[in-house]
Amino acid sequence: MRAKVLFVALALASACFAKDIKTVVLTTNPQMHCNNCEKKIKENIRFEKGVKSIKTDLDTKTVTIEYDADKTTIADIIKGFEKIKYEAKEVKENPKKVDATTSATKVSN
């Protein structure tokens, strides 16, 4: 019985301290254009404090980062990109895919 009460108390306590996980979509300058760019970003930004996951998309040339807002901010993540010689900016709208053959842009869904 004592173990059940302790388990319920721990479950309630962990619910009170739930992490504030957020997602940000960034674009970089220079633009990410190859697998080496993806690898450089993923291997370096993953060490920034609070970063939980990183997804890159070469079609839209964006980086989607899931982070713990209790441990870091978007500004801190952008500073992490500066360490590896990239300028990062937050994407506020739907990323656009660039057609490499025609240079036309398409809104991604």
Side-chain angles (χ1 to χ4, degrees):
M1 179 69 173
R2 192 175 209 188
K4 288 182 183 179
V5 171
L6 182 60
F7 176 76
V8 171
L10 286 173
L12 289 173
S14 66
C16 293
F17 297 108
K19 293 184 178 189
D20 187 12
I21 305 298
K22 294 187 177 183
T23 302
V24 63
V25 178
L26 303 167
T27 186
T28 63
N29 185 21
Q31 284 191 329
M32 182 178 52
H33 64 278
C34 66
N35 290 333
N36 288 333
C37 296
E38 282 185 305
K39 184 177 176 182
K40 181 178 182 179
I41 289 169
K42 286 180 177 179
E43 287 184 355
N44 288 281
I45 300 302
R46 70 185 175 118
F47 291 111
E48 292 299 315
K49 183 177 179 179
V51 171
K52 298 295 178 193
S53 70
I54 303 168
K55 294 179 186 168
T56 54
D57 186 338
L58 283 174
D59 290 336
T60 60
K61 305 204 181 306
T62 58
V63 181
T64 303
I65 298 176
E66 201 172 87
Y67 66 98
D68 184 343
D70 294 332
K71 294 183 179 181
T72 193
T73 64
I74 294 171
D76 290 336
I77 293 170
I78 289 172
K79 286 178 187 173
F81 277 86
E82 291 172 3
K83 293 177 192 174
I84 58 170
K85 309 291 189 242
Y86 279 89
E87 178 185 341
K89 291 183 183 177
E90 185 177 2
V91 176
K92 300 283 187 181
E93 57 191 48
N94 285 342
K96 296 178 182 176
K97 290 188 180 185
V98 178
D99 186 338
T101 58
T102 64
S103 298
T105 58
K106 302 174 191 173
V107 177
S108 61
N109 296 326

